[in-house]
Amino acid sequence: MLENLVKEYKKMQNKYGDPNLDSITFGGCKNNPEICFVFMNPTGRNITANKEWTGLKAPWIGTKNVWNLFFEIGVINEEIYQEIRSKKGKEWTEDFANKVYKSVEDNKVYITNLAKCTQIDARALKDKVFKEYLDLFFKEINIVNPKKIILFGNQVSSIVLDEKICVSNVRKKEFNYKGFKFYSVYYPVGNGFFNIDKAIEDIKWIIKN
């Protein structure tokens, strides 16, 4: 069933993303994971956006900073983390991407974006574009059925939960919405990198509790 959603995401790439890039979808444990991480939207920094990449097209492949967070919360081990740190983006291979996401899967974690439209850079998407993905997003998480869902940042949290969210006011608060347990956490990369320690603290608490 997820494969059907991938087809829809590919169609939406041409409408909302850069037509020269592929849509990047999801990766990790697809069957009742302990945690689902929901980011904003992918960018061309992800090597799998290249149309010549025929392997896994999952979030954050070929990047570095977000893996600091995933290492600190135990999604990847020391060996994989150090390999990521040592590689330039273009040095990721399809086999290495599979190795990284096998660790993600083994640790019962699922990683996705609210919007799957890959942009050439990290420009902000308007709310109306994210909202175009909401129906497909809820179909996706109903198929995957995660136990807890972590939403990164004010914008994604507000759109998914359909209410104005300021992360600093709702840290470690559980939202029961549409049959799922949601939490809102600081965005840990880009302009939000200075909040990564707070994001790690909150995620560790959410996992423990």
Side-chain angles (χ1 to χ4, degrees):
M1 294 175 69
L2 282 174
E3 288 73 22
N4 293 332
L5 295 184
V6 171
K7 293 177 183 177
E8 294 301 314
Y9 289 140
K10 286 181 178 179
K11 292 177 185 176
M12 294 177 77
Q13 175 68 23
N14 293 326
K15 187 173 183 180
Y16 299 110
D18 188 301
N20 297 311
L21 300 174
D22 274 354
S23 176
I24 294 164
T25 52
F26 41 71
C29 178
K30 301 178 180 67
N31 183 22
N32 197 216
E34 295 292 325
I35 297 286
C36 166
F37 291 114
V38 184
F39 293 90
M40 298 174 71
N41 60 281
T43 75
R45 286 190 62 206
N46 185 320
I47 193 174
T48 74
N50 189 316
K51 291 183 178 293
E52 295 179 0
W53 180 282
T54 59
L56 180 69
K57 290 185 180 283
W60 305 111
I61 293 175
T63 69
K64 288 187 187 295
N65 288 343
V66 78
W67 298 102
N68 296 329
L69 179 145
F70 288 138
F71 170 64
E72 290 293 337
I73 62 173
V75 176
I76 56 173
N77 62 30
E78 175 81 26
E79 176 193 349
I80 291 175
Y81 177 64
Q82 293 303 332
E83 283 191 73
I84 291 172
R85 298 303 302 168
S86 69
K87 289 182 185 294
K88 296 179 181 178
K90 292 182 179 179
E91 293 175 343
W92 282 60
T93 63
E94 294 182 8
D95 284 344
F96 182 62
N98 287 335
K99 177 181 178 180
V100 171
Y101 265 91
K102 179 64 164 56
S103 178
V104 174
E105 180 179 2
D106 289 346
N107 284 292
K108 303 295 183 183
V109 170
Y110 179 80
I111 304 172
T112 190
N113 290 290
L114 173 54
K116 309 300 194 290
C117 48
T118 310
Q119 307 294 317
I120 193 69
D121 54 26
R123 71 189 67 184
L125 288 181
K126 294 182 179 179
D127 284 3
K128 65 180 182 180
V129 175
F130 284 112
K131 289 177 180 178
E132 289 295 318
Y133 281 86
L134 269 177
D135 286 346
L136 287 173
F137 170 73
F138 278 106
K139 287 180 181 178
E140 181 183 333
I141 63 168
N142 272 284
I143 293 169
V144 175
N145 192 32
K147 295 178 181 178
K148 296 178 180 179
I149 302 173
I150 293 177
L151 306 170
F152 286 101
N154 296 337
Q155 188 178 25
V156 167
S157 299
S158 298
I159 291 168
V160 170
L161 296 173
D162 196 27
E163 64 175 278
K164 185 66 175 177
I165 298 292
C166 178
V167 171
S168 61
N169 294 331
V170 296
R171 293 179 65 186
K172 301 173 184 174
K173 177 180 177 180
E174 182 180 296
F175 294 84
N176 288 289
Y177 184 66
K178 295 196 174 186
F180 292 96
K181 295 178 180 180
F182 289 93
Y183 301 84
S184 184
V185 170
Y186 284 104
Y187 207 83
V189 292
N191 292 333
F193 187 69
F194 63 92
N195 283 322
I196 191 170
D197 288 343
K198 294 177 183 177
I200 291 169
E201 175 191 332
D202 289 355
I203 293 168
K204 286 182 175 179
W205 183 91
I206 292 164
I207 292 171
K208 184 178 179 180
N209 291 276

